[in-house]
Amino acid sequence: MAHNYRNDVAIDWCPGCGDFGIVSALTQALGELNLDPNDVIAVSGIGCSGKTPHYLNIAGVHTLHGRAIPYATGVKLANPNLNVLVTGGDGDLMSIGAGHFVAEGRRNTGLTVILYDNAVYGLTKGQAAPTLALGEQTKSLPRPNMFSKVNPIALALTSGYTFVARGFTSDIKQLKEIIKKGMQHEGSALIDVLQPCPTYNNINTMDWYRNRVYKLEDEDSWDPIVTEDNVSSLQEKFTKAYNKGLEWDEKIPTGVFFDNRTVPPFTKRLEKNLPEYFSNPPSSQVIASPDGKTLVDPVETFRDRVIQ
Amino acid sequence: MSKVDISLTIGGPQGGGIDTSSNMVSRAFAYAGYNVFSVREYHSNIKGRHSYTHMRVKQERPRSLRYPLDVLVALDSDTIFEHIEDVGENTKIIYDSSFEGSELSKARMITNDTAGRIRKTLEANGYSPDVTGSIKYMKDRGGIPIAIPFSKIVTSVVKEGTPSRYYNTLGSAITLAISGIDREFAEKAIRIIFASKEKVVPSNIDVVGAAYEFVEENKLNGIHLEKRESKERLLITGNDGSAIGKIMGGLRFQTYYPITPASDESTIIEEHENIKWLSEEHSKLAKGGIVVVQTEDELAAITMAIGAALTGVRSSTATSGPGFSLMAEAISFAGMDEVPLVVTLYQRGGPSTGLPTRNGQSDLLFALNTGHGEFPRIVLSSGDVEECVYDAIKALNYAQRYQLPVIHLIDKNLANTLDMVPNIDVDKVGVQNGVRVEENADFKRYSLDNEDGVSPMGVFGKNIFWMTGDEHDEQGHVTEDTEIRDRMMEKRFKKIKTAEKEIPLEERVELLGSKDADVTFVTWGSQKGPILDVIDDLAEEGIKANLLYLKMFEPFPTNFVRDVLTKARRVVNVESNMLGQASRVIEQHTGFEIKDSILKYNGRHMTEDEILRAVKNLIGAKEHMVVLQNGA
């Protein structure tokens, strides 16, 4: 029988929350990828998005605010054979965890980062999040937002994410396909998911998005994939992706912006130093004899420190 | 042969080869069969500021340093200024004759406050504030100045390159020649140290030869130190010791963000990730190596180490005070989520950036209280290089057995102590894993059905379970249920009671020396060695002393400590901090207030002589607290 990726834990998001669409797309994607459920791990930070792992029938950890990426990186590097998902909000990934978001682009560990992008901090009652535009005043703000917004697509591209995409929570089918592609991608993926917060964001509503989104894949000439065979197109495709990433007010593109398969993930970089890294990763190494003794010869290992 | 006990300092500009000098001198003495113990003192600076090694050489293993020096080697004039108070009767002061006349006012790399202090001392005593005056100051206090024409000697044998590049070799070789070490050992040290830079070996050997001839011609050599039989030894620091212990203890994942004096440990592990096995059969089992990751900050270092631990790997991070402050929130998570995690906390002088390259023991109370909320933890401390090895293994074992954060305290002084360890006992501390779940069905990561509070552990990749920093039910899902909350709090704290029962007392506290004593010292960390030497010194004067040596602060060995202290005649607490933090912990647990204390917070290592002087002052009831001030 197929594994049911949704467990029986009651979901406590508000009615109409965009998070539901993400969980639907995610569980459908997991089902279609036909993975061993033990091999998929969900890691989240804090906030409404942080609750996601509890609703999935896979192992998961609901960590600290902003730290989902380094937790997930630790899981992945200790066992590179796992598929590691990060579910984080815009506050979590773009504000308190922004340093980790950038560092992960440089590492390209192979995480699938799903950004719950609704421009507000929901669980703490609607403060402005980093993706809310300057001057916007969502309903619980005492005055218009004083900060300019961050652009997750542009930030991911310039940080080094090798798969950059955007979904819209009401288009579950498209989002499911993007998540599948992101998970199959060897390096790290950023999937920005536009979603309404019906309780606190009265500006970027479901209808507001519906009136603006269009799909990149509907343009016949759109080809975001860079491989060793067409590596000369790298700069051109990066530039196109970046320019698409800047589109916002009138028309908002969704789909895959950039899919660069030419940058080795961090795990493969480690393999160069540790040849058996994938077949015998840290998580599965034997570290003691059956009677509980060390296996390591300290003097031979530290031969360079020996005085004879 | 008479007892050898040489106290020596080699000083020069940071980046001027002091490490190489220290290594060369240590090795040459070691090849001749002697034991060397040294501490590195340096500024937070890459090039130029005053840096030195304080060293002691004996037949048996030294365990402390002392002043006055027997030999002071000055590779720059700043060293002469900085160490004028460290010489005494018959201290040989080896320096470059070209330093004569150098003025203190032109010593650009000495800060104005230090220079002002030295100037005041010299002028108040009628000496000129320059090298000539400083040398005279030391000579009048028993020092024997030995001016060496550094440039002339080097250029007599080296015709190419910059002569000053050989000054550290020359100064070291002169020191060895004067100390009576055979030339062959100095040459052997050169060949080993420069093994990877073979091109420079011949010229350095020539400089060694010229140094020995100069000492011979000028009849500067004293007694000859004959070659002694010696076994193979490891020449390692506290940083090395912790790295060795972690590798022996099955560590396979380490994270760090660069910080002094902790990051050396991580790079040492990375350099030695190619493990050598005790038997051929093991090498087949255990290949794969250790992953060491330099992270973007300490927030990532600790959370990445936690993430790795969730896959079942033995995982750890190493940091120092400022980094540890950033890790506080995640330590609370590890406590709440019962994650086996080791944090090696290298203590330096705080608060804030404080004295980034200097010693301190001011993070004990912080280590005991880091992180919000209440959760169990184990806090242990090492006091010498060998303890760093075994404690690192134990820390990994405790983390697995009790599923909690373990904080291993090592002070900067110990991190940078270079010691000779004769033998690492691979059977002394085992590698024991905690309880793991076998079946996945209906697995409860936080099962409450455990007498000892320890639930079977599952790992990512094999079991499906949930974790959260929120209070959680047995499955790991968020709950705010009042009854579960109480039971989970109690379950977590049950583990520390279990640890208290299971961890042998001798791993937590020791009473060293005779039971019957007039003076009972209390200490932790790197003062252990100097105090043991002071106990011997006092015995020679007919004063019986012993040491209550603290190794574990959580769970605290309350009954044993209370018992020893309430029976002691005079208790003297010795710590490298201002508040007497260990004495506060003792009082909190036992109600016993320690009245006499010897404290040091200038960031420099404690020496045998200053502790001895201080304890005599306390015995003489002249005062109840002595603040130690040795060190440049």
Side-chain angles (χ1 to χ4, degrees):
Chain A
M1 202 179 79
H3 183 77
N4 184 0
Y5 281 92
R6 172 75 179 96
N7 62 18
D8 59 3
V9 175
I11 296 183
D12 65 1
W13 289 322
C14 305
C17 177
D19 294 358
F20 287 100
I22 298 178
V23 166
S24 297
L26 185 54
T27 50
Q28 285 178 30
L30 290 171
E32 290 179 21
L33 285 169
N34 207 18
L35 302 163
D36 180 340
N38 279 324
D39 287 347
V40 192
I41 312 296
V43 183
S44 67
I46 291 292
C48 295
S49 63
K51 298 179 177 186
T52 306
H54 293 287
Y55 306 143
L56 301 175
N57 194 15
I58 52 174
V61 54
H62 173 197
T63 73
L64 299 171
H65 200 18
R67 314 295 160 228
I69 283 177
Y71 272 89
T73 307
V75 172
K76 179 79 181 173
L77 295 181
N79 186 350
N81 303 313
L82 299 177
N83 299 281
V84 185
L85 299 162
V86 171
T87 58
D90 38 26
D92 204 60
L93 293 170
M94 298 284 118
S95 182
I96 189 170
H100 306 308
F101 182 85
V102 171
E104 181 48 34
R106 295 171 53 214
R107 278 189 292 263
N108 195 33
T109 308
L111 308 178
T112 307
V113 180
I114 302 175
L115 171 63
Y116 293 41
D117 185 355
N118 64 9
V120 289
Y121 287 84
L123 207 49
T124 47
K125 296 189 288 187
Q127 296 85 351
T131 49
L132 187 69
L134 175 67
E136 297 281 23
Q137 187 171 12
T138 48
K139 66 183 178 197
S140 60
L141 296 188
R143 56 171 74 96
N145 183 21
M146 305 273 283
F147 286 75
S148 294
K149 70 172 187 174
V150 71
N151 181 328
I153 300 290
L155 183 60
L157 285 166
T158 50
S159 300
Y161 284 78
T162 47
F163 181 97
V164 179
R166 180 187 281 143
F168 172 39
T169 184
S170 115
D171 191 338
I172 289 169
K173 191 165 164 242
Q174 183 203 29
L175 181 56
K176 175 197 75 182
E177 290 305 320
I178 291 173
I179 291 172
K180 279 164 66 182
K181 282 182 188 157
M183 288 186 69
Q184 284 165 330
H185 178 75
E186 204 176 30
S188 283
L190 178 269
I191 302 167
D192 178 30
V193 186
L194 304 176
Q195 57 167 126
C197 174
T199 306
Y200 292 110
N201 190 337
N202 52 331
I203 296 171
N204 309 109
T205 60
M206 193 70 96
D207 283 341
W208 188 93
Y209 285 119
R210 278 199 183 113
N211 291 334
R212 287 167 176 79
V213 292
Y214 75 97
K215 292 177 183 172
L216 289 168
E217 56 266 34
D218 288 346
E219 291 181 8
D220 287 343
S221 62
W222 186 253
D223 173 16
I225 299 169
V226 183
T227 63
E228 290 301 340
D229 296 334
N230 67 6
V231 72
S232 59
S233 67
L234 176 61
Q235 198 178 338
E236 180 203 331
K237 286 181 177 174
F238 181 91
T239 309
K240 276 188 178 167
Y242 190 87
N243 287 336
K244 283 288 182 192
L246 300 182
E247 288 182 17
W248 186 260
D249 293 320
E250 302 300 316
K251 288 257 175 211
I252 301 175
T254 61
V256 179
F257 286 65
F258 190 55
D259 179 353
N260 180 2
R261 302 170 186 179
T262 65
V263 180
F266 198 79
T267 47
K268 288 211 166 149
R269 299 174 204 169
L270 274 173
E271 191 190 19
K272 288 201 170 142
N273 304 327
L274 308 169
E276 295 185 26
Y277 176 59
F278 283 95
S279 60
N280 197 1
S283 63
S284 45
Q285 290 175 35
V286 177
I287 56 161
S289 64
D291 58 344
K293 296 275 172 66
T294 184
L295 307 180
V296 175
D297 185 333
V299 176
E300 285 310 315
T301 305
F302 282 76
R303 188 37 64 187
D304 57 333
R305 304 287 203 271
V306 172
I307 297 266
Q308 276 173 310
Chain B
M1 186 174 168
S2 63
K3 219 171 158 190
V4 172
D5 186 353
I6 304 167
S7 175
L8 119 91
T9 279
I10 304 171
Q14 182 92 339
I18 302 302
D19 276 328
T20 309
S21 280
S22 161
N23 199 354
M24 175 179 166
V25 171
S26 303
R27 282 181 177 268
F29 275 114
Y31 297 142
Y34 295 85
N35 283 295
V36 183
F37 178 95
S38 65
V39 167
R40 282 285 281 121
E41 291 284 0
Y42 47 97
H43 278 84
S44 178
N45 157 258
I46 296 174
K47 274 188 197 295
R49 287 206 187 276
H50 177 56
S51 165
Y52 66 100
T53 290
H54 188 189
M55 189 180 284
R56 192 165 182 178
V57 183
K58 285 177 146 188
Q59 283 128 330
E60 70 273 23
R61 269 177 81 192
R63 53 192 178 186
S64 74
L65 297 164
R66 67 164 171 78
Y67 289 112
L69 299 168
D70 297 300
V71 186
L72 171 64
V73 185
L75 299 179
D76 66 357
S77 50
D78 289 9
T79 303
I80 294 172
F81 298 131
E82 293 266 12
H83 293 274
I84 53 171
E85 301 294 359
D86 296 346
V87 301
E89 205 59 46
N90 294 325
T91 306
K92 290 169 180 165
I93 305 148
I94 298 167
Y95 65 104
D96 185 344
S97 43
S98 76
F99 299 158
E100 289 284 0
S102 296
E103 288 170 36
L104 179 57
S105 60
K106 294 195 176 136
R108 207 170 51 83
M109 285 295 183
I110 302 183
T111 51
N112 289 342
D113 42 11
T114 304
R117 193 160 46 76
I118 298 165
R119 171 184 297 274
K120 212 168 142 192
T121 304
L122 290 170
E123 287 180 345
N125 290 286
Y127 299 89
S128 56
D130 54 21
V131 166
T132 311
S134 301
I135 293 286
K136 191 155 187 305
Y137 179 91
M138 292 191 273
K139 192 178 173 190
D140 291 347
R141 278 150 189 81
I144 305 167
I146 303 173
I148 308 278
F150 270 52
S151 173
K152 198 175 145 200
I153 296 177
V154 170
T155 50
S156 74
V157 289
V158 180
K159 304 298 178 194
E160 285 172 19
T162 320
S164 62
R165 291 188 71 108
Y166 293 91
Y167 284 6
N168 59 342
T169 298
L170 180 65
S172 308
I174 297 268
T175 306
L176 291 166
I178 286 177
S179 303
I181 288 288
D182 285 333
R183 182 166 155 177
E184 60 173 299
F185 301 119
E187 292 176 352
K188 183 175 173 186
I190 291 288
R191 278 192 292 271
I192 299 285
I193 291 166
F194 294 113
S196 59
K197 290 188 267 180
E198 247 179 68
K199 261 205 277 181
V200 303
V201 171
S203 50
N204 276 284
I205 297 261
D206 288 344
V207 170
V208 169
Y212 270 78
E213 278 156 29
F214 181 86
V215 167
E216 183 83 16
E217 280 165 20
N218 293 279
K219 302 194 168 45
L220 297 173
N221 38 348
I223 52 155
H224 173 246
L225 293 189
E226 61 196 63
K227 165 91 173 91
R228 291 165 50 81
E229 282 308 307
S230 62
K231 288 184 180 154
E232 188 175 88
R233 288 162 291 172
L234 282 166
L235 181 64
I236 54 174
T237 63
N239 284 133
D240 290 321
S242 180
I244 292 170
K246 283 184 175 183
I247 295 174
M248 288 174 74
L251 177 92
R252 291 296 179 271
F253 197 91
Q254 166 107 354
T255 59
Y256 75 104
Y257 182 76
I259 191 167
T260 306
S263 31
D264 281 352
E265 179 195 293
S266 300
T267 48
I268 290 162
I269 292 172
E270 202 169 3
E271 280 161 17
H272 297 85
E273 65 191 358
N274 183 11
I275 300 166
K276 300 286 187 294
W277 309 100
L278 284 168
S279 85
E280 188 56 31
E281 166 205 3
H282 294 155
S283 67
K284 282 179 207 127
L285 279 177
K287 273 184 187 165
I290 303 169
V291 171
V292 180
V293 188
Q294 179 187 324
T295 58
E296 58 272 30
D297 53 33
E298 284 92 350
L299 306 169
I302 189 162
T303 51
M304 202 180 286
I306 292 173
L310 305 184
T311 70
V313 70
R314 287 190 172 211
S315 175
S316 139
T317 186
T319 189
S320 185
F324 192 66
S325 290
L326 289 183
M327 292 182 180
E329 187 190 16
I331 290 189
S332 176
F333 179 95
M336 177 59 140
D337 280 63
E338 310 194 34
V339 180
L341 175 77
V342 173
V343 182
T344 310
L345 172 53
Y346 286 92
Q347 297 179 92
R348 64 191 213 187
S352 191
T353 312
L355 298 170
T357 60
R358 305 294 184 179
N359 190 45
Q361 293 182 324
S362 50
D363 295 334
L364 172 62
L365 293 173
F366 183 40
L368 288 166
N369 296 287
T370 334
H372 50 292
E374 299 163 310
F375 57 89
R377 74 189 80 199
I378 287 176
V379 178
L380 76 159
S381 142
S382 295
D384 62 40
V385 168
E386 277 160 298
E387 281 183 25
C388 289
V389 176
Y390 300 117
D391 290 348
I393 309 175
K394 286 177 197 166
L396 290 164
N397 286 342
Y398 298 147
Q400 292 290 326
R401 170 67 188 104
Y402 306 110
Q403 301 178 13
L404 40 63
V406 177
I407 299 162
H408 181 192
L409 297 162
I410 296 175
D411 53 59
K412 178 267 160 189
N413 187 31
L414 181 52
N416 292 162
T417 290
L418 193 60
D419 194 5
M420 288 188 181
V421 176
N423 176 33
I424 291 177
D425 182 355
V426 294
D427 296 322
K428 186 167 173 169
V429 183
V431 180
Q432 287 102 24
N433 252 330
V435 191
R436 294 281 165 84
V437 67
E438 298 292 334
E439 295 294 322
N440 198 20
D442 200 28
F443 169 54
K444 290 177 176 153
R445 172 65 186 88
Y446 300 106
S447 158
L448 288 163
D449 303 329
N450 309 284
E451 279 295 300
D452 57 6
V454 183
S455 312
M457 205 179 131
V459 300
F460 284 179
K462 287 189 184 138
N463 313 102
I464 291 180
F465 60 97
W466 297 268
M467 304 178 83
T468 172
D470 286 54
E471 190 54 275
H472 39 263
D473 60 20
E474 289 182 286
Q475 285 187 306
H477 289 306
V478 177
T479 183
E480 295 178 18
D481 180 80
T482 52
E483 187 195 331
I484 290 288
R485 163 66 174 180
D486 286 348
R487 291 183 67 194
M488 282 293 168
M489 285 295 284
E490 288 152 13
K491 163 202 152 50
R492 289 189 289 268
F493 274 96
K494 216 185 272 174
K495 297 189 295 182
I496 207 73
K497 291 278 165 215
T498 304
E500 191 161 14
K501 265 185 251 158
E502 290 179 354
I503 300 172
L505 190 63
E506 61 269 24
E507 291 187 17
R508 296 156 64 200
V509 61
E510 285 179 273
L511 185 63
L512 302 169
S514 64
K515 279 207 167 155
D516 175 53
D518 305 312
V519 177
T520 296
F521 288 102
V522 176
T523 205
W524 59 292
S526 65
Q527 289 91 225
K528 178 191 172 191
I531 291 174
L532 291 175
D533 278 345
V534 167
I535 289 172
D536 290 350
D537 298 336
L538 290 171
E540 283 179 21
E541 298 181 28
I543 301 167
K544 284 180 288 182
N546 59 13
L547 169 62
L548 181 68
Y549 173 57
L550 301 167
K551 287 189 55 61
M552 191 172 281
F553 289 92
E554 186 65 37
F556 191 75
T558 305
N559 293 337
F560 184 89
V561 170
R562 186 193 288 124
D563 190 52
V564 168
L565 295 183
T566 49
K567 288 177 186 155
R569 280 171 226 151
R570 177 191 292 274
V571 180
V572 177
N573 181 49
V574 186
E575 296 185 64
S576 293
N577 58 44
M578 189 161 183
L579 298 178
Q581 297 197 7
S583 72
R584 290 189 175 202
V585 176
I586 290 169
E587 188 171 352
Q588 180 197 337
H589 285 281
T590 67
F592 187 93
E593 187 192 348
I594 301 176
K595 296 203 174 58
D596 291 342
S597 55
I598 299 171
L599 302 171
K600 186 166 187 173
Y601 37 82
N602 72 3
R604 276 44 166 200
H605 56 279
M606 273 196 206
T607 59
E608 179 187 352
D609 53 294
E610 62 181 342
I611 300 174
L612 182 61
R613 272 197 309 277
V615 74
K616 283 181 176 172
N617 275 341
L618 294 172
I619 293 171
K622 286 182 194 149
E623 47 202 329
H624 283 294
M625 186 176 90
V626 181
V627 177
L628 305 182
Q629 288 160 342
N630 270 5

